[in-house]
């Protein structure tokens, strides 16, 4: 059982989350080229690892992690997201990563758990 | 309301929290990946439909130009192809102002620019007639055959708005290596004190462009100039200050590459005569200034003369030399003309180095001297002519101190005279009234065979035959250089000219002796 810090309101630290997610991405697809057969694995791994690390922080948040990997073919891509939540405590962070052959976008949403 | 829940390891324990939860909209997050731009172009060619069957020259030339134009256009489009595929932003880097100035002043750019502009100027000035029919059918339309009857026709006139205006031509010389090059030296421009005082321009007869081939200048007025005979790239000038300057057309400089010192060892008076004498391997530059000092120099080292000689007559009178001439093939003996109206023979080396004899006869300063220089079956190298302010040109022989003949057709100062390099009995002279006279002694010794007046009657300062003997260059007091074509019937010697001239000379000698006898009686 894990316990949280008592009393203080927890605010989502997006920088920390940023770092965590980046490391995860690097770990999974850093140095590789886009491979249609492996890309399923990659997205699954990225999401799982990011989530595990975030949860390990032990903060009272609900997390939603989304990962998209797109091959570089010259096409354009545009996504947007918006949330309605407790702006004081909740937050999100989006990490863009690319190499020569692909783009990777990971979004993390953290919603504070109220009790 | 606090609640503690106990769950298994995978679940967490939460802390109770009081208060209402306030919800609001968060900032929108966007992710944008820009699509790669695809460069597209269209390519077209147009095959020429007509004019393929024409035989004449002009349309064919135009076609060649058209065909040449599309291939370069296609090439550039192929280059665009490669660039499009590369996906890199390879735009050329824009140079800063400083870098641009640096390039413009760099050595390579300047020499390229000078060479390039010379070539482009020539190309722009050419107007070649491509439809010329050599069979002569078209000539009937033209205004009669120009060369057949004409004796002296003006071919070119050289002047430059910037460099020759308000200057006087002081000397002319044709290049021995390139028969189309002519150097003209000019004195100072009184209206432009900030411009260099001395200018020498090399003009090119071959191309129709009317700007000089090379422009040289120096600090003091150039009184005499010439191409260095055995050094095709060098132009020698003698100046008013006594300095002798050397220009090199290989360097990009317009100023002299070498100068003699202004010291008592060299010249301190204006140098009116410079000449390169000798052979390919052993040559010297001879210069004489108006104080009678003659120096001989090596063209490699102008820092001090190899030899110098004071030309004095009878151990006391320094000769103020205005003109000098070397007979054909002679490097030791020469003749000089002086301001006092006398002509002297002198020699450079030997025990009697200096003035040898005096030839008196002119009543005014001697302005020009020319030794007979056309080689042929008979040697006339003892003859020379002199021109003078006394309106006459006199014919002399080095064998006699009195003139053989005096040509008195002119009514003004005669400024220069020169034997033809190819015709033994022909010489030209110019005078202050703007007249150029050609005398053929085999035809007539009383009047010139041909004569032409320059438009505007400027004073003609110099006359120089081209080495081919078919063209004459004259320089005038307005800074213009005129080049005349001499009709073939005048300038080309026939086979018997030499023998005829021997007879003419004999007649002249007889007449002179008779005249003397009559005078003595």
């Amino acid at each position: 059982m894990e316990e949280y810090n008592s009393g203080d309101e927890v605010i989502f630290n997006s920088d920390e989350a940023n770092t965590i997610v980046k490391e995860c991405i690097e770990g999974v697809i850093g140095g590789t080229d886009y491979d249609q057969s492996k890309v399923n694995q990659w997205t699954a791994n990225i999401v799982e690892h990011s989530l595990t690390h975030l949860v390990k922080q032990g903060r009272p948040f609900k997390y939603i992690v989304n990962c998209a990997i797109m091959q570089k073919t010259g096409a354009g891509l545009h996504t947007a997201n918006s949330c309605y939540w407790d702006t004081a405590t909740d937050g999100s962070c989006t990490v863009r990563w690319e190499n020569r052959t692909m783009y990777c976008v990971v979004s993390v949403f953290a919603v504070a758990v109220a009790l | 309301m606090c609640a503690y829940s106990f769950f298994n390891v995978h679940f967490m324990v939460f802390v109770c929290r009081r208060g209402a939860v306030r919800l609001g909209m968060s900032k929108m997050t966007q992710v944008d990946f820009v699509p790669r731009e695809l460069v597209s172009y269209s390519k077209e060619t147009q095959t020429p439909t007509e004019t393929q069957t024409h035989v004449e020259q002009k349309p064919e030339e135009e076609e060649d130009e058209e065909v040449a134009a599309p291939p370069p256009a296609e090439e550039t489009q192929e280059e665009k192809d490669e660039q499009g595929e590369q996906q890199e932003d390879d735009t050329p880097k824009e140079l800063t102002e400083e870098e641009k100035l640096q390039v413009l002043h760099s050595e390579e750019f300047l020499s390229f620019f000078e060479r390039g502009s010379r070539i482009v100027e020539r190309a722009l000035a050419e107007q070649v007639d491509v439809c010329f029919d050599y069979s002569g059918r078209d000539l009937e339309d033209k205004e009669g055959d120009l060369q057949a009857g004409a004796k002296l026709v003006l071919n070119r006139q050289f002047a430059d708005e910037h460099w020759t205006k308000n200057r006087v031509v002081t000397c002319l010389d044709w290049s021995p290596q390139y028969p189309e090059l002519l150097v003209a030296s000019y004195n100072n421009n009184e209206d432009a004190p900030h411009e260099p005082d001395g200018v020498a321009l090399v003009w090119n007869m071959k191309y129709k462009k009317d700007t000089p081939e090379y422009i040289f200048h120096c600090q003091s007025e150039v009184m005499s100039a010439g191409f260095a005979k055995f050094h095709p790239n060098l132009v020698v000038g003698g100046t008013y200050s006594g300095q002798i300057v050397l220009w090199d057309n290989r360097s990009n400089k317009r100023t002299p590459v070498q100068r003699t010192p202004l010291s008592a060892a060299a010249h301190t008076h204006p140098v009116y005569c410079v000449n390169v004498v000798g052979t390919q391997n052993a040559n010297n530059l001879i210069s004489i200034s108006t104080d009678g000092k003659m120096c001989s120099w090596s063209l490699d080292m102008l820092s001090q003369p190899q030899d110098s000689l004071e030309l004095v007559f009878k151990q006391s009178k320094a000769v103020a030399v205005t003109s000098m001439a070397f007979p054909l093939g002679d490097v030791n003996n020469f003749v000089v003309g002086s301001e006092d109206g006398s002509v002297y023979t002198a020699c450079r080396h030997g025990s009697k180095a200096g003035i040898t004899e005096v030839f008196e006869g002119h009543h005014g300063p001697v302005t020009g001297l020319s030794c007979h220089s056309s080689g042929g079956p008979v040697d006339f190298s003892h003859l020379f002519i002199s021109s003078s302010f006394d309106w006459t040109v006199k014919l002399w022989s080095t064998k006699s101190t009195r003139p053989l003949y005096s040509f008195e057709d002119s009514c003004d100062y005669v400024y220069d005279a020169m034997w033809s390099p190819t015709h033994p009995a022909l010489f030209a002279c110019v005078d202050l009234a703007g007249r150029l006279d050609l005398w053929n002694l085999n035809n007539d010794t009383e009047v010139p065979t041909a004569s032409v007046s320059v438009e505007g009657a400027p004073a003609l300062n110099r006359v120089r035959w081209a080495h081919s003997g078919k063209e004459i260059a004259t320089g005038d007091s307005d800074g213009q250089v005129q080049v005349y074509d001499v009709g073939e019937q005048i300038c080309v010697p026939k086979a018997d000219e030499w023998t005829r001239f021997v007879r003419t000379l004999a007649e002249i000698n007889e007449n002179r002796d008779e005249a003397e006898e009559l005078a003595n009686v």
Side-chain angles (χ1 to χ4, degrees):
Chain A
M1 284 192 250
E2 301 163 45
E3 290 193 352
Y4 295 105
N5 303 332
S6 57
D8 304 288
E9 290 224 347
V10 190
I11 302 177
F12 178 63
N13 186 342
S14 67
D15 295 322
E16 240 189 288
N18 209 311
T19 324
I20 293 171
V21 169
K22 265 209 192 110
E23 278 172 21
C24 285
I25 299 176
E26 271 298 325
V28 177
I29 54 174
T32 57
D33 282 345
Y34 184 85
D35 189 344
Q36 180 57 36
S37 54
K38 295 197 194 136
V39 75
N40 283 348
Q41 258 177 15
W42 290 342
T43 44
N45 286 343
I46 288 172
V47 169
E48 257 186 63
H49 290 174
S50 310
L51 199 49
T52 320
H53 281 101
L54 284 168
V55 166
K56 240 201 251 169
Q57 282 186 320
R59 306 241 173 89
F61 280 101
K62 293 177 176 165
Y63 294 102
I64 297 135
V65 179
N66 183 39
C67 172
I69 294 185
M70 185 176 97
Q71 183 185 22
K72 271 193 183 177
T73 53
L77 172 70
H78 194 107
T79 74
N81 58 63
S82 183
C83 311
Y84 184 71
W85 52 29
D86 186 349
T87 47
T89 57
D90 308 325
S92 70
C93 124
T94 312
V95 176
R96 286 169 211 79
W97 183 95
E98 68 180 278
N99 69 4
R100 205 174 53 94
T101 50
M102 55 188 170
Y103 299 108
C104 177
V105 186
V106 176
S107 312
V108 174
F109 302 90
V111 183
V113 182
L115 287 164
Chain B
M1 282 137 277
C2 312
Y4 288 96
S5 321
F6 289 91
F7 297 93
N8 59 27
V9 170
H10 297 291
F11 290 89
M12 332 283 181
V13 175
F14 295 100
V15 178
C16 75
R17 215 199 292 160
R18 290 187 189 272
V21 175
R22 288 223 192 92
L23 300 179
M25 295 289 280
S26 75
K27 261 197 241 171
M28 189 173 66
T29 325
Q30 294 192 64
V31 173
D32 192 13
F33 294 116
V34 179
R36 187 183 75 229
E37 252 184 52
L38 282 177
V39 177
S40 66
Y41 53 87
S42 61
K43 203 155 79 164
E44 282 178 25
T45 54
Q46 170 66 48
T47 53
T49 50
E50 301 167 14
T51 71
Q52 279 281 1
T53 53
H54 257 305
V55 182
E56 282 171 41
Q57 282 184 346
K58 257 194 187 148
E60 278 178 10
E61 283 172 29
E62 285 168 26
E63 272 177 24
D64 287 340
E65 290 168 3
E66 282 173 8
V67 171
E74 287 175 19
E75 283 169 15
T76 53
Q77 281 167 351
E78 283 169 15
E79 285 171 7
K80 271 195 199 162
D81 258 335
E82 293 167 0
Q83 280 182 8
E85 287 168 10
Q86 273 172 18
Q87 278 191 10
E88 292 161 24
D89 296 89
D90 238 353
T91 52
K93 200 169 66 124
E94 184 83 19
L95 293 176
T96 65
E97 275 306 312
E98 249 182 56
E99 283 171 324
K100 282 181 190 167
L101 278 176
Q102 218 175 6
V103 170
L104 283 176
H105 288 123
S106 73
E107 192 65 43
E108 298 101 36
F109 179 80
L110 286 174
S111 59
F112 156 73
F113 190 68
E114 179 134 352
R115 235 180 42 238
S117 50
R118 197 175 291 138
I119 295 173
V120 171
E121 275 181 347
R122 284 185 201 159
L124 287 174
E126 282 301 309
Q127 299 145 12
V128 186
D129 181 15
V130 294
C131 296
F132 188 74
D133 185 0
Y134 283 97
S135 71
R137 257 173 278 155
D138 288 345
L139 281 178
E140 290 158 11
D141 298 337
K142 296 202 176 121
E143 294 169 6
D145 200 1
L146 296 166
Q147 290 305 320
K151 295 179 177 178
L152 265 183
V153 181
L154 178 63
N155 184 353
R156 294 290 293 276
Q157 207 165 22
F158 290 115
D160 185 81
E161 187 61 33
H162 179 219
W163 290 105
T164 66
K165 202 161 160 197
N166 287 330
R167 295 182 194 253
V168 175
V169 175
T170 51
C171 194
L172 289 172
D173 190 29
W174 291 88
S175 164
Q177 284 88 9
Y178 297 106
E180 63 264 21
L181 290 185
L182 165 68
V183 68
S185 62
Y186 304 83
N187 72 346
N188 63 337
N189 183 346
E190 277 150 14
D191 289 343
H194 298 296
E195 294 280 317
D197 277 350
V199 168
L201 303 177
V202 176
W203 299 96
N204 193 331
M205 284 282 297
K206 196 156 142 191
Y207 302 104
K208 295 208 174 56
K209 75 165 188 165
D210 52 8
T211 50
E213 190 74 20
Y214 294 102
I215 299 176
F216 299 122
H217 52 72
C218 67
Q219 284 313 103
S220 167
E221 294 98 68
V222 184
M223 307 312 292
S224 57
F227 283 96
K229 270 203 203 64
F230 306 103
H231 297 84
N233 293 308
L234 300 180
V235 175
V236 184
T239 65
Y240 195 75
S241 61
Q243 248 188 352
I244 303 192
V245 292
L246 197 65
W247 290 283
D248 191 332
N249 67 356
R250 287 168 295 200
S251 77
N252 279 333
K253 292 176 9 169
R254 291 182 173 183
T255 49
V257 294
Q258 271 200 73
R259 268 176 263 247
T260 62
L262 274 173
S263 71
H267 295 289
T268 50
H269 278 68
V271 175
Y272 275 97
C273 327
V274 279
N275 209 356
V276 174
V277 295
T279 58
Q280 176 72 38
N281 297 323
N283 53 60
N284 283 96
L285 173 66
I286 308 289
S287 62
I288 310 189
S289 57
T290 52
D291 60 353
K293 183 138 186 219
M294 182 189 91
C295 292
S296 82
W297 311 78
S298 154
L299 278 171
D300 304 323
M301 194 183 73
L302 288 184
S303 55
Q304 65 175 40
Q306 278 192 342
D307 203 11
S308 65
L309 184 57
E310 292 282 342
L311 293 171
V312 282
F313 181 60
K314 288 201 163 66
Q315 273 87 34
S316 56
K317 222 175 46 162
V319 175
V321 173
T322 53
S323 46
M324 162 182 88
F326 276 80
L328 189 67
D330 202 335
V331 297
N332 192 19
N333 302 301
F334 57 98
V335 281
V336 289
S338 81
E339 274 175 11
D340 60 15
S342 314
V343 178
Y344 300 88
T345 50
C347 63
R348 281 170 60 198
H349 308 293
S351 53
K352 289 213 199 123
I355 299 282
T356 317
E357 272 187 76
V358 62
F359 294 69
E360 275 163 3
H362 277 298
H363 304 296
V366 175
T367 50
L369 266 186
S370 175
C371 288
H372 195 276
S373 52
S374 56
V378 188
D379 177 32
F380 294 112
S381 57
H382 58 98
L383 292 179
F384 62 93
I385 47 173
S386 61
S387 61
S388 156
F389 275 14
D390 66 357
W391 299 4
T392 65
V393 175
K394 293 202 193 314
L395 172 68
W396 311 76
S397 164
T398 50
K399 301 175 189 160
S400 157
T401 56
R402 280 166 309 108
L404 288 180
Y405 196 82
S406 178
F407 302 93
E408 292 177 12
D409 187 64
S410 180
C411 307
D412 217 331
Y413 294 177
V414 183
Y415 253 99
D416 200 7
M418 186 174 173
W419 285 104
S420 158
T422 51
H423 194 298
L426 189 61
F427 69 88
C429 63
V430 287
D431 68 7
L432 208 63
R435 243 180 49 176
L436 164 64
D437 293 332
L438 284 187
W439 295 78
N440 185 334
L441 299 178
N442 284 342
N443 284 354
D444 197 340
T445 55
E446 299 280 321
V447 280
T449 309
S451 177
V452 75
S453 268
V454 176
E455 240 179 82
L460 290 176
N461 275 348
R462 281 292 200 176
V463 68
R464 275 283 172 276
W465 286 87
H467 293 292
S468 63
K470 302 214 173 101
E471 285 162 344
I472 299 187
T474 58
D476 68 18
S477 56
D478 288 335
Q480 311 231 355
V481 174
Q482 294 89 6
V483 178
Y484 289 89
D485 282 335
V486 186
E488 292 211 355
Q489 75 279 28
I490 300 184
C491 68
V492 175
K494 304 181 209 25
D496 63 348
E497 293 288 352
W498 277 263
T499 41
R500 278 176 68 193
F501 194 49
V502 172
R503 283 202 300 271
T504 316
L505 272 185
E507 270 179 39
I508 291 177
N509 271 317
E510 270 177 35
N511 292 341
R512 187 184 65 151
D513 292 338
E514 279 177 18
E516 269 184 33
E517 280 179 27
L518 287 174
N520 287 340
V521 159

